[in-house]
Amino acid sequence: VKILGSKKIELPKKLAKRYPAYELYLYGEGSYAEEHKILPLTGIPVLFLPGNAGSYKQVRSVGSIALRKAEDIDFKYHFDFFSVNFNEELVALYGGSLQKQTKFVHECIKTILKLYKGQEFAPKSVAIIGHSMGGLVARALLTLKNFKQDLINLLITQATPHVAPVLPLDRFITDFYMTVNNYWILNARHINLTTLSVAGGFRDYQVRSGLTFLPKLSHHTSALSVVSSAVPKTWVSTDHLSIVWCKQLQLTTIRAFFDLIDADTKQITQNPKKKLSVLNHHFIRHPAKHFEENPAIISDLTGI
């Protein structure tokens, strides 16, 4: 299957055999797709995880905008968008595949990072965007025995029901939720993964906003939960699927990504305070101007 030149990434034979239904793709279009037929890669890796019955092709919405933005700055920096094909499994209705998906994503992250071997600014971690159940699978990565937390530098979830399943139809799904949420709450002090959860608001009939809030205890400093209608420059509520395609929201996401780049490493910054201040700027308190590291005080109101 080709979407504007998307390239299927060859997985190690053992891995392909163990997960015959799943695949990993690198998104591309036009001349960018042609150039990236030759590895190794030189950009900043972002991995998109689709949700219940979701398609890996949904990465196009955010991937295309990121490419336009990179063109605007003459590819001084650019992002490489990867996407996992979960074979459009119905994980919200049957939770038996969730553990398998999580393990596959772990292998995908290791495979992605190998594609940058030998590069001057080779990344050591990936950013993840997860739609719906894809966001929960991303959080579940931390519960895997041999998973190194610093493989993920940022997690953005879109309309992900973090609190509880929308329909607890089987033990698999309820057990999976308990494992993930208990882990995040009990290990709160050791989890320093910057996480942003975006809810669709009143138009999302499938996942109500209350379910999208990250477990409160687990994050004193490194998590933000917002509703799309309150995101500056977005101001609209999205339904469960259109949150992936909402242009205003994807523009905000990509602006944040570019502001997160560390000029020295040419990768996403490792500084948790900088990550939070960038996300705060774009998703919460945007004063309609560019992000500044130390904004100057505009007026000093002394003596009033």
Side-chain angles (χ1 to χ4, degrees):
V1 179
K2 283 207 169 188
I3 48 162
L4 295 167
S6 268
K7 170 189 168 70
K8 186 177 165 186
I9 301 293
E10 284 298 317
L11 297 171
K13 280 201 175 84
K14 261 188 188 172
L15 193 59
K17 212 171 179 181
R18 205 181 322 151
Y19 303 98
Y22 300 162
E23 297 169 320
L24 176 65
Y25 283 85
L26 168 63
Y27 174 77
E29 52 186 83
S31 58
Y32 172 84
E34 285 305 308
E35 283 167 35
H36 287 76
K37 289 206 167 108
I38 309 148
L39 299 169
L41 299 170
T42 56
I44 303 164
V46 181
L47 178 60
F48 174 80
L49 303 180
N52 177 55
S55 165
Y56 71 96
K57 296 179 187 180
Q58 289 169 315
V59 72
R60 182 159 67 97
S61 64
V62 72
S64 189
I65 289 171
L67 190 58
R68 301 282 171 277
K69 175 96 171 148
E71 281 171 353
D72 283 350
I73 57 169
D74 292 328
F75 285 94
K76 182 185 176 189
Y77 306 114
H78 71 274
F79 288 89
D80 298 319
F81 274 83
F82 296 87
S83 185
V84 173
N85 179 10
F86 285 137
N87 202 18
E88 299 182 21
E89 287 177 333
L90 298 165
V91 280
L93 304 176
Y94 167 65
S97 306
L98 286 166
Q99 195 62 29
K100 194 168 72 175
Q101 286 193 0
T102 308
K103 287 178 176 170
F104 181 70
V105 172
H106 183 199
E107 297 300 334
C108 284
I109 293 172
K110 292 191 282 190
T111 302
I112 287 167
L113 294 174
K114 278 180 191 156
L115 300 175
Y116 295 84
K117 270 246 164 89
Q119 287 299 320
E120 189 185 352
F121 298 104
K124 295 180 174 66
S125 54
V126 304
I128 295 182
I129 297 176
H131 173 241
S132 189
M133 294 301 281
L136 190 73
V137 165
R139 279 180 61 224
L141 285 164
L142 275 65
T143 68
L144 297 177
K145 260 189 193 137
N146 53 351
F147 185 78
K148 294 183 181 74
Q149 197 189 129
D150 50 14
L151 285 178
I152 315 175
N153 54 44
L154 177 70
L155 170 59
I156 294 180
T157 68
Q158 299 172 334
T160 295
H162 291 296
V163 178
V166 177
L167 289 170
L169 293 176
D170 58 43
R171 281 292 300 275
F172 293 115
I173 202 162
T174 50
D175 288 353
F176 189 79
Y177 263 88
M178 275 181 67
T179 305
V180 173
N181 283 336
N182 285 349
Y183 182 90
W184 277 62
I185 289 165
L186 294 172
N187 296 282
R189 288 182 180 175
H190 313 295
I191 294 175
N192 52 13
L193 169 60
T194 305
T195 312
L196 168 73
S197 170
V198 185
F202 67 89
R203 283 193 188 169
D204 189 341
Y205 300 127
Q206 278 167 276
V207 177
R208 57 188 168 80
S209 297
L211 290 178
T212 64
F213 287 84
L214 292 154
K216 204 64 217 140
L217 291 172
S218 68
H219 278 317
H220 304 298
T221 53
S222 53
L224 295 170
S225 299
V226 297
V227 178
S228 65
S229 52
V231 172
K233 293 193 176 182
T234 302
W235 309 128
V236 290
S237 172
T238 64
D239 66 47
H240 191 62
L241 196 57
S242 69
I243 195 165
V244 174
W245 299 101
C246 171
K247 192 173 181 185
Q248 295 96 309
L249 194 57
Q250 303 311 334
L251 281 167
T252 301
T253 306
I254 292 305
R255 285 187 197 111
F257 270 127
F258 276 89
D259 279 343
L260 284 162
I261 298 169
D262 181 322
D264 296 332
T265 62
K266 293 191 168 37
Q267 294 294 328
I268 285 177
T269 178
Q270 294 298 317
N271 181 340
K273 278 188 178 164
K274 166 93 183 270
K275 286 187 224 184
L276 264 189
S277 68
V278 169
L279 292 177
N280 243 306
H281 175 87
H282 287 284
F283 286 89
I284 292 174
R285 55 166 197 85
H286 199 304
K289 59 179 185 176
H290 288 299
F291 174 77
E292 292 172 43
E293 201 76 67
N294 301 302
I297 294 166
I298 295 165
S299 54
D300 195 354
L301 303 175
T302 51
I304 288 177

